[in-house]
Amino acid sequence: MSTTMRLKRFGSKKRPYYRVVVMDNRKASTSITIDEVGTYQPLNADEQVSLNEEKVKDWIKKGVTVSPTVKNLLNSKGINLSRKED
């Protein structure tokens, strides 16, 4: 099964709220997720991104594909995307 780490949108009109999730890349973005690893709130200036770094690193080591937007969020938090042991 090929998995992707991507954003899943929640919230109301003009008030988006996203969850950073791991899911099967063949499924629709509104379908069931495998794991939730964080949140992204673009309208909240105080705490926009919150991630469980251990889960993120574990999924990256397992070979999950990271979407470009999530890759930018991980880089802003300083999380290394290499699959090697640190």
Side-chain angles (χ1 to χ4, degrees):
M1 170 174 36
S2 56
T3 55
T4 304
M5 189 178 301
R6 61 185 180 186
L7 297 176
K8 188 173 183 179
R9 189 182 195 280
F10 290 91
S12 60
K13 184 177 178 182
K14 297 185 181 180
R15 304 289 294 164
Y17 167 84
Y18 300 93
R19 290 183 188 163
V20 182
V21 297
V22 176
M23 57 191 322
D24 187 359
N25 66 351
R26 296 170 290 185
K27 303 279 185 174
S29 61
T30 57
S31 65
I32 298 173
T33 63
I34 297 171
D35 195 10
E36 293 182 10
V37 296
T39 60
Y40 172 55
Q41 300 175 5
L43 299 179
N44 188 359
D46 297 335
E47 174 105 11
Q48 282 191 336
V49 181
S50 64
L51 297 168
N52 185 337
E53 291 186 30
E54 290 184 21
K55 280 186 176 182
V56 170
K57 290 178 181 178
D58 186 41
W59 278 108
I60 290 172
K61 287 177 189 173
K62 290 179 183 178
V64 71
T65 305
V66 181
S67 74
T69 306
V70 174
K71 188 179 217 179
N72 290 337
L73 293 175
L74 294 177
N75 286 335
S76 70
K77 284 296 217 178
I79 296 176
N80 189 7
L81 296 176
S82 69
R83 300 193 198 302
K84 298 176 185 174
E85 294 286 329
D86 290 341

